[in-house]
Amino acid sequence: FPVTISSNISQTVKGNVTETVEGTITDTAKKAVTFATEDALKVSAKGDASVSSDGNVNVSGKGGANVTSDGSVSISGKGGAKVTSNGSAEVSGKGGTDVGSGSSMTNIKGTMVNLAGGGMPVALVGGQVIGVGNLGAPVVSNIVQGSSKVMAPM
C-alpha cells in the first residue's frame, strides 16, 4: 500500500527498533542524509558492500583509521595516489615489497636513505671503485650514468 506524506515526520522511540524486511529497502532523498549516534555505528553485509559518490569520498576519525581484509587490499586513483603521515610512515609486506614500477623512474626522498636497514652503501654515479682485473692486478674504475639500476646523486 503506497503512502504519501507531504509534511515532516518526527519519531521518538525510547526502546529498541528492529525491522525485518524480506525484500529490498530503497531510500531516496533530494537533500542530505545524516545518521548520528552517541555510540558505535556498524554497517555489515553478508554480500558485497559499496560506497560510491559523484563527489569526493572522505573517511576520517579522531582516533585511528584501519582498513583490514582477509583478501587483498588495493588503493588506486586515475589522478594519482598519495599516502601522507605527520608521523613516521611504513610500507612493508611479508611476501615482499615492491616500490615503483619497472617502466618508470622511482624517486626516494630523504636526507639519508638506508637500503637493507643501512647495510652496504649504494654505488654513486661519478664515484670510484677499486676491483681486481683479469690478470689479478688492482683496477680503479669510475661509475658512469647507466652503470647500475640503482643510482644516487653525489
Side-chain angles (χ1 to χ4, degrees), residues 49-112:
S50 299
V51 175
S52 63
S53 172
D54 289 341
N56 294 328
V57 176
N58 298 300
V59 176
S60 63
K62 290 185 180 180
N66 297 300
V67 176
T68 59
S69 173
D70 288 341
S72 61
V73 176
S74 175
I75 298 174
S76 63
K78 289 182 181 178
K82 183 178 183 178
V83 176
T84 304
S85 172
N86 286 335
S88 63
E90 179 179 324
V91 176
S92 64
K94 290 183 179 179
T97 305
D98 292 334
V99 176
S101 167
S103 61
S104 66
M105 187 166 159
T106 300
N107 295 315
I108 300 174
K109 299 176 182 179
T111 55
M112 173 76 81

